[in-house]
Every structure is written in C-alpha cells, then in structure tokens.
Amino acid sequence: TMPEALMTVDALRAGYGDMIAVWDMSLQAKPGRVTALVGRNGAGKSTFLNAVAGLLPIRAGTIKLSGEDVTRLPAHQRASHGLALVPEGKRIFRAMTVRENLTIGQFNARHKGSEGQAIIAEMFDRFPALGDRPDALAGSLSGGQQQMLSIAQALSSRPSVLCLDEPSSGLAPVIVDEVFEIVRDLRAEGYAIVLVEQQVEAVLDGLADDVVIIDQGRQVLADEASNVTVDQIIQATLHGVD
Ligand code: ATP
C-alpha cells in the first residue's frame, strides 16, 4: 500500500498580477518518495513551488501538511509545519559564513535552541565540504558547495517535506551527480521530496518515483515514474506555443 501523503496540494492556482501562471495544479509528496515536477522553461514550476512555500499568494486551491490545512498560513508557519524549499539559484547569504547560514536555516525549526549545535554538526557530517570550512564566507564557495549549503540550510529547519527547485542548475555534471545522490539519500531517510528538474533522463533513471508534467501552467500528466518515458515527457512539453 502507498504511504500517506505528507503534503497534499489540491487545485492550486497562482500568478502575478492579472496573469495566472499555474492553473489548478495538484500534487502529493509522500515519505520516502521523490515527486518530480518537469516541464520546459516558463511552464510554471517555480511559481508552483513558491506558492506552495508561501512566497507568492495563492488564488485558489488548498495545501495540507500532514493533514493540516496550511493554505492560509504565512511562509514561516508552513515551515514550522514541516515544509522547506531550496529555491532556484542557491539563495544563500553570500556575505555570511557557512555556519551562520546554517544557524539562520534553523529559524522556524520545531526544536529548541539547544539542538542548534547538533544540527550544524549533523550537516557538517552530511556535507563534509561544508564542515571543512565552517567560517568561510558562503559567497566564496564553489557553485556545488553553495548548492549543498542551500540544501543544508533547508534541512536545518528539520522539515518532513523538502522542495528542491532545479538543484542541478548551472553545476558541472560530476557535481550534479553528487546532488542527485544526496536527493536519493534523503529519500532513503524518509523525506517526502518534490523535485523540479530539467534533466529528464536522470529523473526517470531512478531519481523520481512519481512524475508530474506541467505545461503552460497546467498539469498534463501525473503518473508513477516507472510508467513514464522520456519521449512522453518530451511530447507532453513540446506542443506549446513557442
Ligand atoms: P524556469 O525553468 O525557467 O524557471 P518555470 O517552469 O519555473 O521555468 P516560472 O518561473 O514559474 O516557470 O514561470 C511561469 C510563468 O510566470 C512564465 O510565463 C514567467 O514568465 C512568469 N513569471 C515568473 N516569475 C514572474 C514574476 N516575478 N513576475 C511576472 N511573471 C513571472
């Protein structure tokens, strides 16, 4: 039997001003599973994740975290209900140290301050390259290390649902493999993961359990990854207007 969803998004609608960028998108995140959200540039993937995280107002639809309706809660309260977002483009604090970034990441965690050092130690264990330079400025790290820091910052809030917006973006292939390996590790640890990813071969090659295809702001396919082919994804995302 399938595990209970930790996050259920139902018929979410979001946009900018008069423009609706995401129409009635539904998606579930389940423990120990990766749901990949794929679609071409401008399809609405980031808009969806940002609206889910509470960074963008929702026009319609509902978001539940562990069964609780959080649709009307602001971003920080969704975080304290177990949701974390690794935004597109490694939005870490470049002028702060690695350790400071991880301390900021604990804000909103459902834990007491005394656990802070333990969380940092755990992140340094998980990401040895960060542990090697705790006092380096985040902006001085390599692109791959910045992405790891961004993921570590999100994990520092002790989420149960982790949303990753194109974590492979702009990274060398060998580093992309490392990022995907981390995603697999987190899945094995039971995190419910929503992954926006352009690399569809990797998505279908053992990275995703479920796939949702979005095109022009609308869901065009949702299925288990084992039922989806690369060709299907390409077909589903090529018929658009540009
Ligand atoms: P990408 O992979 O390029 O990030 P995406 O699938 O994440 O693509 P979105 O960034 O969600 O797509 O964009 C969806 C639509 O919303 C696009 O038409 C885009 O131009 C528009 N859009 C995105 N951000 C804004 C914004 N801040 N203001 C106005 N329109 C926006």
Side-chain angles (χ1 to χ4, degrees):
T1 63
M2 299 286 273
E4 285 283 305
L6 290 179
M7 179 171 77
T8 302
V9 181
D10 192 39
L12 182 138
R13 190 178 295 181
Y16 308 91
D18 290 338
M19 199 266 275
I20 303 293
V22 168
W23 293 91
D24 307 337
M25 284 276 299
S26 300
L27 176 152
Q28 292 196 332
K30 293 172 177 166
R33 287 182 80 84
V34 173
T35 301
L37 181 57
V38 300
R40 61 196 169 135
N41 290 336
K45 306 179 296 293
S46 298
T47 301
F48 177 81
L49 285 192
N50 291 337
V52 164
L55 305 178
L56 196 64
I58 289 171
R59 307 294 173 81
T62 56
I63 302 165
K64 285 183 182 167
L65 290 170
S66 297
E68 195 170 333
D69 192 330
V70 299
T71 314
R72 291 179 203 297
L73 298 185
H76 71 275
Q77 287 183 29
R78 291 186 206 174
S80 50
H81 279 80
L83 178 69
L85 169 66
V86 179
E88 195 170 13
K90 319 171 192 82
R91 255 171 277 153
I92 48 172
F93 296 92
R94 299 174 57 84
M96 299 177 98
T97 68
V98 168
R99 195 190 298 278
E100 286 165 346
N101 269 277
L102 295 179
T103 304
I104 287 169
Q106 296 165 18
F107 182 69
N108 289 324
R110 290 167 294 179
H111 63 84
K112 301 273 175 264
S114 57
E115 258 194 85
Q117 289 309 314
I119 290 176
I120 289 180
E122 184 187 314
M123 295 308 151
F124 286 171
D125 200 40
R126 189 190 286 280
F127 302 99
L130 301 180
D132 286 346
R133 39 184 86 67
D135 300 314
L137 293 183
S140 74
L141 301 178
S142 70
Q145 289 164 352
Q146 290 186 24
Q147 186 57 266
M148 303 303 176
L149 181 58
S150 189
I151 295 170
Q153 193 179 60
L155 291 174
S156 295
S157 71
R158 292 264 195 248
S160 51
V161 179
L162 184 67
C163 299
L164 298 146
D165 194 348
E166 274 187 59
S168 68
S169 174
L171 301 180
V174 59
I175 311 296
V176 171
D177 289 344
E178 278 181 39
V179 170
F180 289 167
E181 199 51 44
I182 288 161
V183 173
R184 288 195 188 88
D185 288 346
L186 295 170
R187 166 173 61 188
E189 291 168 36
Y191 287 90
I193 297 170
V194 180
L195 174 69
V196 165
E197 188 48 66
Q198 302 264 17
Q199 304 199 17
V200 293
E201 282 88 357
V203 162
L204 293 182
D205 186 20
L207 195 55
D209 300 287
D210 301 292
V211 177
V212 174
I213 304 179
I214 177 173
D215 193 49
Q216 298 182 70
R218 294 175 197 271
Q219 181 175 312
V220 294
L221 188 148
D223 205 341
E224 287 189 35
S226 57
N227 295 331
V228 179
T229 65
V230 171
D231 272 359
Q232 244 178 321
I233 296 179
I234 292 169
Q235 285 305 317
T237 56
L238 275 187
H239 65 73
V241 281
D242 51 47

mmCIF file of all heavy atoms in Angstrom, residues 16 19 21 40-48 88 166 198, ligand 1:
data_model
loop_
_atom_site.group_PDB
_atom_site.id
_atom_site.type_symbol
_atom_site.label_atom_id
_atom_site.label_comp_id
_atom_site.label_asym_id
_atom_site.label_seq_id
_atom_site.Cartn_x
_atom_site.Cartn_y
_atom_site.Cartn_z
ATOM 1 N N TYR A 16 0.876 36.269 -11.216
ATOM 2 C CA TYR A 16 1.482 37.591 -10.984
ATOM 3 C C TYR A 16 0.532 38.638 -11.531
ATOM 4 O O TYR A 16 0.268 38.655 -12.740
ATOM 5 C CB TYR A 16 2.837 37.662 -11.690
ATOM 6 C CG TYR A 16 3.741 36.493 -11.342
ATOM 7 C CD1 TYR A 16 3.727 35.330 -12.113
ATOM 8 C CD2 TYR A 16 4.582 36.545 -10.236
ATOM 9 C CE1 TYR A 16 4.535 34.259 -11.797
ATOM 10 C CE2 TYR A 16 5.388 35.471 -9.911
ATOM 11 C CZ TYR A 16 5.363 34.330 -10.689
ATOM 12 O OH TYR A 16 6.159 33.269 -10.365
ATOM 13 N N MET A 19 -1.955 37.982 -14.406
ATOM 14 C CA MET A 19 -1.532 36.777 -15.130
ATOM 15 C C MET A 19 -1.568 35.543 -14.222
ATOM 16 O O MET A 19 -0.915 35.527 -13.185
ATOM 17 C CB MET A 19 -0.122 36.990 -15.661
ATOM 18 C CG MET A 19 0.265 36.057 -16.790
ATOM 19 S SD MET A 19 1.131 34.606 -16.199
ATOM 20 C CE MET A 19 2.796 35.242 -16.112
ATOM 21 N N ALA A 21 -0.263 31.990 -13.730
ATOM 22 C CA ALA A 21 0.853 31.185 -14.250
ATOM 23 C C ALA A 21 0.685 29.704 -13.935
ATOM 24 O O ALA A 21 1.291 28.858 -14.594
ATOM 25 C CB ALA A 21 2.178 31.689 -13.676
ATOM 26 N N ARG A 40 8.989 22.553 -19.495
ATOM 27 C CA ARG A 40 10.031 23.425 -20.058
ATOM 28 C C ARG A 40 10.094 24.769 -19.322
ATOM 29 O O ARG A 40 9.289 25.032 -18.423
ATOM 30 C CB ARG A 40 9.780 23.618 -21.549
ATOM 31 C CG ARG A 40 8.473 24.268 -21.812
ATOM 32 C CD ARG A 40 8.088 24.081 -23.270
ATOM 33 N NE ARG A 40 6.715 24.482 -23.403
ATOM 34 C CZ ARG A 40 6.253 25.247 -24.373
ATOM 35 N NH1 ARG A 40 7.037 25.655 -25.329
ATOM 36 N NH2 ARG A 40 4.991 25.587 -24.395
ATOM 37 N N ASN A 41 11.021 25.608 -19.737
ATOM 38 C CA ASN A 41 11.190 26.927 -19.127
ATOM 39 C C ASN A 41 9.890 27.709 -19.221
ATOM 40 O O ASN A 41 9.253 27.735 -20.275
ATOM 41 C CB ASN A 41 12.293 27.724 -19.831
ATOM 42 C CG ASN A 41 13.668 27.149 -19.562
ATOM 43 O OD1 ASN A 41 13.874 26.474 -18.563
ATOM 44 N ND2 ASN A 41 14.590 27.402 -20.450
ATOM 45 N N GLY A 42 9.516 28.330 -18.117
ATOM 46 C CA GLY A 42 8.322 29.157 -18.107
ATOM 47 C C GLY A 42 7.027 28.385 -17.936
ATOM 48 O O GLY A 42 5.942 28.964 -17.980
ATOM 49 N N ALA A 43 7.113 27.083 -17.730
ATOM 50 C CA ALA A 43 5.897 26.262 -17.606
ATOM 51 C C ALA A 43 5.132 26.564 -16.323
ATOM 52 O O ALA A 43 3.921 26.324 -16.245
ATOM 53 C CB ALA A 43 6.254 24.782 -17.654
ATOM 54 N N GLY A 44 5.842 27.057 -15.297
ATOM 55 C CA GLY A 44 5.170 27.387 -14.036
ATOM 56 C C GLY A 44 5.682 26.601 -12.840
ATOM 57 O O GLY A 44 5.096 26.657 -11.758
ATOM 58 N N LYS A 45 6.795 25.906 -13.010
ATOM 59 C CA LYS A 45 7.310 25.047 -11.933
ATOM 60 C C LYS A 45 7.726 25.851 -10.701
ATOM 61 O O LYS A 45 7.350 25.525 -9.577
ATOM 62 C CB LYS A 45 8.502 24.212 -12.452
ATOM 63 C CG LYS A 45 8.177 23.420 -13.720
ATOM 64 C CD LYS A 45 9.368 22.614 -14.224
ATOM 65 C CE LYS A 45 10.559 23.459 -14.664
ATOM 66 N NZ LYS A 45 10.319 24.272 -15.871
ATOM 67 N N SER A 46 8.508 26.915 -10.935
ATOM 68 C CA SER A 46 8.953 27.726 -9.792
ATOM 69 C C SER A 46 7.774 28.450 -9.153
ATOM 70 O O SER A 46 7.706 28.576 -7.923
ATOM 71 C CB SER A 46 10.003 28.752 -10.232
ATOM 72 O OG SER A 46 11.143 28.098 -10.737
ATOM 73 N N THR A 47 6.863 28.918 -9.983
ATOM 74 C CA THR A 47 5.673 29.585 -9.456
ATOM 75 C C THR A 47 4.917 28.631 -8.524
ATOM 76 O O THR A 47 4.499 29.024 -7.427
ATOM 77 C CB THR A 47 4.753 30.029 -10.613
ATOM 78 O OG1 THR A 47 5.489 30.916 -11.468
ATOM 79 C CG2 THR A 47 3.501 30.719 -10.099
ATOM 80 N N PHE A 48 4.779 27.388 -8.953
ATOM 81 C CA PHE A 48 4.091 26.391 -8.139
ATOM 82 C C PHE A 48 4.793 26.220 -6.790
ATOM 83 O O PHE A 48 4.161 26.331 -5.730
ATOM 84 C CB PHE A 48 4.035 25.051 -8.887
ATOM 85 C CG PHE A 48 3.412 23.941 -8.096
ATOM 86 C CD1 PHE A 48 2.031 23.814 -8.010
ATOM 87 C CD2 PHE A 48 4.210 23.029 -7.408
ATOM 88 C CE1 PHE A 48 1.456 22.785 -7.261
ATOM 89 C CE2 PHE A 48 3.645 22.007 -6.656
ATOM 90 C CZ PHE A 48 2.261 21.889 -6.578
ATOM 91 N N GLU A 88 15.367 28.164 -6.378
ATOM 92 C CA GLU A 88 16.212 28.175 -7.562
ATOM 93 C C GLU A 88 17.353 29.166 -7.347
ATOM 94 O O GLU A 88 17.169 30.226 -6.755
ATOM 95 C CB GLU A 88 15.352 28.615 -8.760
ATOM 96 C CG GLU A 88 15.956 28.341 -10.098
ATOM 97 C CD GLU A 88 14.949 28.573 -11.226
ATOM 98 O OE1 GLU A 88 13.889 29.175 -10.987
ATOM 99 O OE2 GLU A 88 15.254 28.123 -12.343
ATOM 100 N N GLU A 166 15.185 22.962 -9.119
ATOM 101 C CA GLU A 166 16.321 22.795 -10.034
ATOM 102 C C GLU A 166 17.683 22.853 -9.347
ATOM 103 O O GLU A 166 18.525 23.703 -9.672
ATOM 104 C CB GLU A 166 16.252 23.847 -11.150
ATOM 105 C CG GLU A 166 15.386 23.380 -12.296
ATOM 106 C CD GLU A 166 15.423 24.323 -13.482
ATOM 107 O OE1 GLU A 166 16.524 24.540 -14.008
ATOM 108 O OE2 GLU A 166 14.356 24.828 -13.855
ATOM 109 N N GLN A 198 15.137 19.586 -14.825
ATOM 110 C CA GLN A 198 15.117 19.614 -16.300
ATOM 111 C C GLN A 198 15.721 18.354 -16.894
ATOM 112 O O GLN A 198 15.460 18.029 -18.051
ATOM 113 C CB GLN A 198 15.957 20.806 -16.811
ATOM 114 C CG GLN A 198 15.505 22.157 -16.321
ATOM 115 C CD GLN A 198 14.604 22.851 -17.325
ATOM 116 O OE1 GLN A 198 14.073 22.220 -18.231
ATOM 117 N NE2 GLN A 198 14.417 24.149 -17.147
HETATM 118 P P1 ATP B 1 12.090 28.075 -15.359
HETATM 119 O O1 ATP B 1 12.588 26.713 -15.500
HETATM 120 O O2 ATP B 1 12.504 28.974 -16.487
HETATM 121 O O3 ATP B 1 12.293 28.681 -14.008
HETATM 122 P P2 ATP B 1 9.359 27.593 -14.602
HETATM 123 O O4 ATP B 1 8.659 26.402 -15.111
HETATM 124 O O5 ATP B 1 9.867 27.565 -13.221
HETATM 125 O O6 ATP B 1 10.510 27.961 -15.602
HETATM 126 P P3 ATP B 1 8.049 30.003 -13.800
HETATM 127 O O7 ATP B 1 9.312 30.675 -13.435
HETATM 128 O O8 ATP B 1 7.156 29.538 -12.732
HETATM 129 O O9 ATP B 1 8.348 28.793 -14.794
HETATM 130 O O10 ATP B 1 7.238 30.983 -14.772
HETATM 131 C C1 ATP B 1 5.883 30.754 -15.143
HETATM 132 C C2 ATP B 1 5.347 31.979 -15.869
HETATM 133 O O11 ATP B 1 5.280 33.065 -14.965
HETATM 134 C C3 ATP B 1 6.223 32.445 -17.022
HETATM 135 O O12 ATP B 1 5.371 32.923 -18.043
HETATM 136 C C4 ATP B 1 7.023 33.559 -16.423
HETATM 137 O O13 ATP B 1 7.392 34.486 -17.401
HETATM 138 C C5 ATP B 1 6.042 34.166 -15.432
HETATM 139 N N1 ATP B 1 6.734 34.755 -14.268
HETATM 140 C C6 ATP B 1 7.627 34.148 -13.461
HETATM 141 N N2 ATP B 1 8.022 34.971 -12.461
HETATM 142 C C7 ATP B 1 7.352 36.133 -12.651
HETATM 143 C C8 ATP B 1 7.317 37.385 -11.968
HETATM 144 N N3 ATP B 1 8.052 37.608 -10.872
HETATM 145 N N4 ATP B 1 6.517 38.348 -12.454
HETATM 146 C C9 ATP B 1 5.757 38.137 -13.564
HETATM 147 N N5 ATP B 1 5.737 36.987 -14.251
HETATM 148 C C10 ATP B 1 6.519 35.997 -13.813
#
